[in-house]
Amino acid sequence: MPETVPQPSGALSVSAALRVECTREGFARVRSFTRDTLHVWSLGHRYDDTTLVVTELAANAATHAAPAAGAPGAPEIRLAFLLDPTHLLVTVSDPDDHPPVYTPAGSALEEHGRGLCLVDALSEEWGWTPCPPAGKTVWARLSTCPPI
């Protein structure tokens, strides 16, 4: 069932966004954008987890957006970060209307299907919301607190 994207707590927040093609170069831009944004926001300690979450969400979007785009060339996805004092909200939007499919971890030897399990493990919560007239946004909320 779709959920609404969590809203900032009302405290001061900042955001950053990137529109990117689903190509090898596009995914390199996603990782660079993530690194650079977290560096500017003094969240280098959250880089590894955030990059893994962003990579999994972007890979899922690319996998499912390509058939939905229906046009020649690589489809685009939209990546956004919203930072409030205690959380980083990561969103990835694509043109596909179908909800993400979460499959609880099965065999550790499976080659595909573990991406949302990783997102679930690394984020405090995650979900998705439709984006009328077409598409969806999948989001994950991560703590900004340094590891203990």
Side-chain angles (χ1 to χ4, degrees):
M1 169 180 278
E3 304 173 18
T4 59
V5 178
Q7 297 301 309
S9 63
L12 183 62
S13 61
V14 293
S15 63
L18 175 70
R19 186 177 297 265
V20 63
E21 286 188 350
C22 298
T23 62
R24 184 177 310 221
E25 294 80 15
F27 288 113
R29 283 187 60 211
V30 165
R31 288 187 295 276
S32 294
F33 177 76
T34 300
R35 181 194 61 239
D36 295 346
T37 302
L38 295 182
H39 175 75
V40 167
W41 291 347
S42 299
L43 290 173
H45 62 279
R46 298 301 305 176
Y47 175 73
D48 291 337
D49 289 352
T50 303
T51 300
L52 187 52
V53 167
V54 167
T55 300
E56 293 299 334
L57 294 181
N60 282 348
T63 299
H64 301 289
E76 286 188 341
I77 59 173
R78 291 175 314 280
L79 166 66
F81 297 123
L82 178 64
L83 176 66
D84 69 26
T86 59
H87 290 93
L88 175 65
L89 182 68
V90 175
T91 66
V92 176
S93 301
D94 68 65
D96 182 50
D97 291 329
H98 295 92
V101 177
Y102 175 79
T103 306
S107 167
L109 299 176
E110 290 178 15
E111 199 169 318
H112 299 286
R114 296 187 309 252
L116 289 177
C117 291
L118 292 171
V119 172
D120 188 58
L122 295 173
S123 62
E124 289 189 354
E125 63 179 327
W126 71 275
W128 71 282
T129 187
C131 295
K136 69 178 170 300
T137 296
V138 182
W139 55 267
R141 194 169 73 131
L142 293 89
S143 171
T144 57
C145 295
I148 297 176

